[in-house]
Amino acid sequence: MIHYSDEAIIEGLRLRSDFIIRYIYQSDYPMIRYLVMSNSGSDEDAEDIFQDSLIVVFKKIKAHSLNLNSSFHTYLYSVSRNLWLQKLTERKRFRIQFAEVENFVVLPENEVAQLHTEDMEKLRLYQQHFLTLNADCQKVLLMFLKNISLRQIADEMGYKTEKYAKTRKYLCKEELKKKIINDPKCHKFLSDD
Amino acid sequence: MIPSAINFCPMTKKLKYSQLIERFIAGEMKEDELRWFGKELQSNAELSAELKLDKELNDILQNEDVIEFRRKVISVFNDSKQQNVAPKIISLQPRRWQLAAAAVIAILIIAGGALLLTQQRSYTADKLFSMYYDSDRSIELTRSGNANIVEAILKFQQKDFQGASLFFAEILDKDSSNIAVWFYNGISYIETNRIDDAVKAFRYIIEDKNNLYVEHAEWYLGLCYLKNEQIDFAVEQFRMIAADKNNYHHQEADKILEKLGRK
């Protein structure tokens, strides 16, 4: 297995490089999965936490605010650990005995404050469903949100009229909203109580 | 007590007010209707939740970078699930195969119907190159302790590409394994119209394979072919990029092929 330096990993993430994401998945996911599953979590929880942790790191890299005081792997593990602790607290399943499975760094308070699991969960839910829309729908919605004119959207997508572009945008958004509100994750907190 | 996470989810699983919300957000409501809407929002929790969902979606989808990153993360998960094995870090075989296939196809096209195919395009190579080439869009430079690299980066950032190229060449003389320098030297060569040298630089990166610049080098190599009016090579290069849906440039490559009439 090729090992990449922290610098290469960060640059790879900035580039959204497939093989760096695969490398991180291969090198870090087993440990994060083990952490979550040893502490009342499921496979799905582990995937969510891993995905959310990578998003946290990616956003930091893009904002030039990632300051590593440890190895990248320890940092990613520490972010995951924090996210999972918050999730357990939300679920009221936090027990004093939390099984530690790896060395971690204590994240600065301001960083922990940014790791708000509800926001992460919302971001994940919305974006995951967005990514299940067909490619045309994704494109129309993204163009619309970039304030590209309906005329340009119609031209780009090969629609005959602006009105049709507007209708397509409406229908795509409707489909997305329906997917979200019908996702059990959206409502699971109701049934948890 | 219901946890706060419920706040982002409307209470019902049916959307009742989409059209109304659409008109409100588009600013299409008349004054009377707007007044009614504002009042209704205060007393109608479902309307309020639906509006919140709509607005939050708009906010979250603004960040295309994060969406594209998530797309890749999900794809890595799905690949590994499908294969039910740990994912390989770098798969060299397909790329080698693709390159070989691309080379064969390129030769066939050159020998056969290059003239016929180029007649279909409505864009000149030079125009397409200008449309798609943007040195400002290349990857951010990573600073290093090496004084020459710092100088080169400064020159590059100041758009003194000739000066940057001199420093890059000096660095590569001492250490030819620095792929980032090869890449930026390639960009500097394009900027100074030394396209053949740029081609060599990008080919070096592609042949090296195990680096972070391969996808970008493939893209810029295609643009160099365009600039050199080597349309058939450019087409094959962009076809290879467009065929790989995970490639950072696949959509642009697709567009360029469409504009060349060679999709």
Side-chain angles (χ1 to χ4, degrees), chain B:
Chain B
M1 186 188 139
I2 297 168
S4 61
I6 193 179
N7 286 341
F8 72 85
C9 196
M11 304 298 277
T12 63
K13 291 186 179 181
K14 280 191 177 164
L15 298 166
K16 295 181 185 169
Y17 303 104
S18 298
Q19 288 187 3
L20 207 59
I21 288 168
E22 177 81 358
R23 294 185 53 238
F24 171 70
I25 288 180
E28 292 170 354
M29 283 184 171
K30 289 184 179 161
E31 211 172 303
D32 283 358
E33 201 180 2
L34 205 56
R35 210 173 298 126
W36 170 85
F37 189 84
K39 215 170 170 184
E40 190 68 10
L41 267 180
Q42 291 176 349
S43 56
N44 186 337
E46 285 183 353
L47 173 65
S48 173
E50 275 193 48
L51 177 64
K52 191 170 178 241
L53 172 67
D54 207 284
K55 285 183 165 176
E56 283 176 347
L57 263 177
N58 286 355
D59 288 344
I60 282 175
L61 297 181
Q62 294 279 358
N63 207 337
E64 205 175 337
D65 238 10
V66 177
I67 294 172
E68 289 311 316
F69 182 73
R70 191 182 296 278
R71 192 194 300 278
K72 291 210 167 176
V73 174
I74 290 172
S75 152
V76 166
F77 262 100
N78 290 344
D79 285 354
S80 69
K81 273 182 194 163
Q82 272 175 8
Q83 293 165 7
N84 204 20
V85 288
K88 288 173 189 170
I89 303 166
I90 304 166
S91 177
L92 298 181
Q93 290 308 321
R95 194 175 292 281
R96 203 174 288 158
W97 178 86
Q98 282 173 340
L99 284 168
V104 170
I105 294 165
I107 290 163
L108 288 174
I109 288 172
I110 292 161
L115 183 65
L116 183 71
L117 289 169
T118 49
Q119 281 170 349
Q120 291 171 4
R121 64 197 163 94
S122 54
Y123 290 82
T124 65
D126 202 52
K127 188 179 174 192
L128 272 178
F129 175 85
S130 311
M131 281 169 73
Y132 283 88
Y133 177 72
D134 179 4
S135 65
D136 287 340
R137 222 188 50 178
S138 50
I139 319 155
E140 287 164 59
L141 281 163
T142 311
R143 284 173 187 270
S144 137
N146 183 317
N148 278 350
I149 289 184
V150 174
E151 278 297 312
I153 290 170
L154 281 173
K155 296 236 177 257
F156 188 92
Q157 284 170 343
Q158 289 159 2
K159 298 192 183 293
D160 175 4
F161 297 108
Q162 206 152 358
S165 198
L166 288 173
F167 279 106
F168 286 139
E170 212 173 309
I171 296 162
L172 289 174
D173 263 355
K174 288 172 192 157
D175 175 20
S176 65
S177 67
N178 194 329
I179 295 295
V181 173
W182 275 101
F183 180 76
Y184 283 95
N185 204 17
I187 298 289
S188 302
Y189 282 140
I190 291 180
E191 291 285 348
T192 49
N193 212 22
R194 291 169 65 183
I195 305 300
D196 289 341
D197 289 326
V199 166
K200 279 179 205 158
F202 296 131
R203 276 194 189 141
Y204 181 92
I205 295 167
I206 294 164
E207 279 159 21
D208 176 79
K209 294 185 182 88
N210 293 338
N211 67 73
L212 300 172
Y213 294 86
V214 170
E215 287 183 1
H216 296 287
E218 287 170 344
W219 167 249
Y220 283 103
L221 180 61
L223 290 178
C224 285
Y225 287 145
L226 264 188
K227 184 80 178 161
N228 268 351
E229 287 276 341
Q230 294 169 287
I231 306 302
D232 297 313
F233 283 127
V235 165
E236 285 317 312
Q237 189 66 23
F238 293 131
R239 278 188 182 155
M240 195 177 70
I241 296 168
D244 176 6
K245 298 297 171 209
N246 291 321
N247 190 300
Y248 185 82
H249 295 284
H250 86 270
Q251 284 176 331
E252 289 162 295
D254 214 50
K255 282 262 166 257
I256 240 173
L257 287 168
E258 198 176 299
K259 289 189 168 79
L260 283 167
R262 301 281 288 271
K263 205 173 163 185

Side-chain angles (χ1 to χ4, degrees), chain A residues 150-168:
Chain A
L150 287 170
R151 180 70 262 156
Q152 277 176 286
I153 295 176
D155 288 346
E156 175 77 23
M157 301 302 296
Y159 302 150
K160 283 183 181 165
T161 63
E162 293 173 40
K163 197 178 169 194
Y164 185 70
K166 193 179 175 193
T167 307
R168 283 294 299 159

